[in-house]
Amino acid sequence: MADRCCHTPSGQLHDTPMRLDEAQASLLRSERQFSDLVRSISDYAIVLLGTDGTVTQWNEGARNLTGYSAQDMLGMPVARLFSYGDRGDDLPARTLEHARETGSASGECLYMRRDGSTFWGHGTFQATRGPEGGLVGYSFVMRDVSGFKADKDLIAQTSMRLDTALTNMHEGLGLFDADGHLVLCNARFRELWGLDDAVCEAGTPLAEMVRAGFMNPDGAEHATPALAQYRQLLKETFANPSLPPITIDFDGALAVSIANRALPDGGWVTTCDDITEQRRSEARIAHMALHDSLTGLPNRTRFNQRLDDKLALAKRTQGKVAVIAMDLDRFKDVNDTHGHAAGDALLQSIGRAVTEGTLESEVVARLGGDEFAAAKIFTDTQDLSEFVSRLHACIAGANDCRDIEVGASLGIAIFPDDGSDRETLLNNADLAMYRAKGQRGESCCYYEEGMDAAARRRRLLAGDLRQAIARGELHLLYQPQRSLRSGKLSGYEALLRWQHPRLGFIPPDEFIPIAEESGSIFAIGEWVLEEACREAQRWPGGEKVAVNLSAV
């Protein structure tokens, strides 16, 4: 022991120089082992730098990442590892300065290999200081994050594209989790339902969103039934995923097409499309298809639909339906005297007057030209008489052409007395209307049995008249005309006669009006003039011949 230690004046025992040497050797061995360990790490670049940023230590990982050996880099500035662009921006110097002032600097940037290729790396510079606090150098640890960076960029790009797609979607989209909390929604979803950004934060409960306006534009007081309705929609959708989107009309102010799709995790996605304008356009198109463009009254198609509905109701309730055919009187005179614009204005005025003067249960339509039709379910004749009076008043009150008295001839057929179907009733009402037109002082006529037979005879005669000249069925008789003073023969009056091959002699007062209505009168008039003149040429005395022409 005397050889290994000694006593100091204070009596304390100290280690011998041999024990100090052993500790120092152990420390050196540890440092060498750590140094060897650092140099052998192959996937991290671990570099020691001097105070000026030059490389003093270089490990195997640095060689693997950059391609530079220790001999290449020892004494070289670490800036050589940075890309040309970052060097131009003085990034290496600024990074070392930041590490010197704050203790460390880290981040991702583009590094350059020996062969000139680049890669993304994450590096950390750590300032190293001595016992007195002075800077003695830097440590630089860096790893290759190219794959991670590419994945992160891809995720960021994909996320940006999804955000862009969601933002620019025409439809509103809301994603909910299995607990009924909002996961995300796009801008269109918020805009469509008028939701604040605060309500659309992730985690907002469905009930709170409904109170704020989702599926409930009528206010918070209606939230409970709106939420119940929406949950019922979800239940039906989850039970039958093939259901098409449904359309909900919120009091005509908002129409939304809504589709709900269940997700595997128990959540769901809701897409909403505002189709308010589409519905309004469809309504306008439907109205145009079923209404007269000039008067706004129902057209023939819509009148037939309304009449069928009334007949079906009357059959169930044992009621009666009046079917009325109307034709304006002297409407042609308005067009001929004041022009078609005045005629159109009169029809528009009649349309307004009829619309204002009839009840919801009554229907009045314009079938074309100056033809109108009406229908009404009634219980007693007084109701029907009052309706007919209102129709006459509407037409009379709408006429601004004071120099022409425009009225209407009405023909009325009653269900079930005069027919059991629409076509029969309309036909019989037409027959009654033409009877009213043909009788002076009568503006309204009810259908009677026998009108149909008379109408068939008129149609038959009208068709046969078109062939009468060609078949030689017409001939002229000549009635002598004498002077009242002298009693001498002064000429003859040509009288037209028609000998029908089946019906025999048809009197002129029957077939002439039919010819005028059907238009055959023009051909017949020309034939009469030619035939009378041809006959007069053969008379030896040069007598005159008189021919009566139709006013048409």
Side-chain angles (χ1 to χ4, degrees):
M1 289 292 292
D3 295 334
R4 298 291 302 275
C5 64
C6 63
H7 292 277
T8 63
S10 61
Q12 294 177 340
L13 183 67
H14 290 277
D15 290 337
T16 63
M18 182 179 294
R19 294 188 64 181
L20 291 174
D21 292 341
E22 289 176 357
Q24 290 174 351
S26 177
L27 178 61
L28 288 173
R29 282 195 303 273
S30 177
E31 289 177 350
R32 279 196 301 271
Q33 290 173 350
F34 181 73
S35 178
D36 292 341
L37 174 64
V38 168
R39 280 195 295 269
S40 66
I41 293 175
S42 61
D43 53 353
Y44 275 78
I46 302 176
V47 182
L48 295 182
L49 307 175
T51 57
D52 59 354
T54 57
V55 177
T56 60
Q57 294 288 334
W58 187 259
N59 80 331
E60 183 68 13
R63 186 185 69 79
N64 291 339
L65 291 180
T66 66
Y68 289 106
S69 66
Q71 289 77 11
D72 294 330
M73 288 301 298
L74 291 176
M76 299 301 295
V78 74
R80 175 179 287 188
L81 301 178
F82 286 75
S83 67
Y84 289 125
D86 287 343
R87 290 185 219 172
D89 291 339
D90 205 22
L91 180 62
R94 289 189 287 108
T95 301
L96 291 175
E97 181 181 359
H98 185 76
R100 184 172 64 250
E101 293 177 353
T102 64
S104 66
S106 62
E108 293 178 359
C109 68
L110 205 59
Y111 292 96
M112 182 178 288
R113 299 186 181 94
R114 184 176 184 178
D115 61 6
S117 62
T118 57
F119 66 95
W120 281 96
H122 183 278
T124 299
F125 288 83
Q126 188 81 34
T128 305
R129 299 188 179 276
E132 301 298 328
L135 181 68
V136 296
Y138 302 90
S139 65
F140 170 45
V141 180
M142 182 262 289
R143 61 189 175 93
D144 187 348
V145 294
S146 298
F148 175 75
K149 172 72 173 174
D151 291 342
K152 188 169 73 170
D153 289 347
L154 178 60
I155 292 172
Q157 186 180 39
T158 302
S159 177
M160 181 185 68
R161 288 175 177 173
L162 287 174
D163 287 343
T164 301
L166 287 173
T167 301
N168 292 279
M169 278 181 65
H170 175 72
E171 296 178 324
L173 182 144
L175 178 64
F176 297 85
D177 63 21
D179 296 325
H181 295 127
L182 181 69
V183 177
L184 62 86
C185 65
N186 65 355
R188 180 61 183 138
F189 187 92
R190 297 192 296 270
E191 177 187 357
L192 194 155
W193 299 109
L195 302 174
D196 294 334
D197 291 344
V199 179
C200 297
E201 300 232 347
T204 303
L206 174 61
E208 184 176 338
M209 296 193 66
V210 173
R211 279 195 298 273
F214 172 53
M215 292 293 293
N216 175 33
D218 298 326
E221 62 273 15
H222 299 280
T224 299
L227 179 60
Q229 181 188 33
Y230 182 60
R231 290 194 184 280
Q232 180 62 30
L233 291 178
L234 291 177
K235 182 179 179 181
E236 294 173 0
T237 299
F238 295 169
N240 186 2
S242 62
L243 285 176
I246 66 164
T247 298
I248 299 180
D249 194 339
F250 295 97
D251 295 331
L254 177 68
V256 182
S257 175
I258 299 173
N260 299 298
R261 290 294 177 265
L263 300 177
D265 62 358
W268 73 91
V269 61
T270 295
T271 54
C272 317
D273 191 10
D274 183 353
I275 59 170
T276 306
E277 285 304 318
Q278 176 185 333
R279 292 292 288 270
R280 289 173 181 167
S281 297
E282 290 172 351
R284 286 193 294 269
I285 293 172
H287 185 275
M288 291 170 60
L290 297 174
H291 291 76
D292 174 55
S293 59
L294 181 64
T295 63
L297 294 174
N299 60 14
R300 186 184 299 272
T301 301
R302 182 56 177 156
F303 177 76
N304 289 341
Q305 293 174 352
R306 294 284 303 275
L307 178 55
D308 287 342
D309 292 341
K310 292 182 183 300
L311 292 176
L313 177 60
K315 289 176 182 178
R316 292 194 302 270
T317 61
Q318 306 299 314
K320 291 188 174 185
V321 179
V323 179
I324 304 174
M326 297 188 294
D327 198 74
L328 299 183
D329 298 329
R330 303 193 67 190
F331 179 72
K332 184 176 182 299
D333 294 344
V334 175
N335 281 334
D336 293 343
T337 304
H338 299 285
H340 288 283
D344 289 347
L346 174 59
L347 291 174
Q348 289 173 332
S349 181
I350 290 174
R352 288 191 297 270
V354 166
T355 301
E356 295 171 0
T358 54
L359 306 176
E360 184 67 25
S361 60
E362 302 164 345
V363 57
V364 179
R366 182 189 178 212
L367 306 185
D370 61 350
E371 298 178 45
F372 294 79
K376 176 183 175 65
I377 294 179
F378 68 99
T379 54
D380 57 59
T381 56
Q382 183 62 33
D383 290 341
L384 178 56
S385 297
E386 190 271 336
F387 179 47
V388 170
S389 297
R390 276 190 284 123
L391 291 177
H392 279 300
C394 288
I395 293 171
N399 182 27
D400 292 332
C401 302
R402 298 305 176 191
D403 57 330
I404 301 175
E405 185 177 349
V406 177
S409 296
L410 277 63
I412 304 173
I414 307 297
F415 168 87
D417 303 339
D418 302 326
S420 59
D421 61 87
R422 168 171 34 98
E423 292 302 323
T424 301
L425 290 166
L426 286 172
N427 181 68
N428 290 343
D430 273 336
L431 293 174
M433 183 267 293
Y434 284 114
R435 172 71 64 85
K437 262 191 173 305
Q439 295 180 348
R440 291 185 177 275
E442 292 289 340
S443 61
C444 181
C445 183
Y446 286 81
Y447 173 78
E448 297 175 355
E449 286 190 20
M451 286 184 178
D452 195 23
R456 282 198 301 270
R457 177 180 172 85
R458 290 176 66 86
R459 286 194 293 269
L460 173 66
L461 293 179
D464 289 345
L465 263 177
R466 297 187 182 93
Q467 308 297 325
I469 296 175
R471 293 172 179 170
E473 297 169 4
L474 300 180
H475 63 276
L476 297 180
L477 298 179
Y478 297 94
Q479 180 173 311
Q481 302 286 321
R482 295 184 178 277
S483 171
L484 293 177
R485 291 183 180 180
S486 62
K488 293 183 178 181
L489 181 68
S490 60
Y492 296 90
E493 179 184 3
L495 303 176
L496 179 63
R497 297 292 182 264
W498 181 20
Q499 188 68 30
H500 193 280
R502 295 187 310 278
L503 303 176
F505 174 73
I506 308 297
D509 60 353
E510 182 178 1
F511 75 80
I512 292 297
I514 294 174
E516 290 176 339
E517 290 177 9
S518 65
S520 300
I521 194 66
F522 300 108
I524 292 174
E526 291 179 4
W527 180 85
V528 170
L529 284 173
E530 292 176 1
E531 186 65 21
C533 291
R534 187 182 300 110
E535 183 69 25
Q537 287 179 341
R538 294 196 294 267
W539 294 340
E543 291 86 359
K544 298 178 181 179
V545 62
V547 177
N548 294 319
L549 298 178
S550 169
V552 174

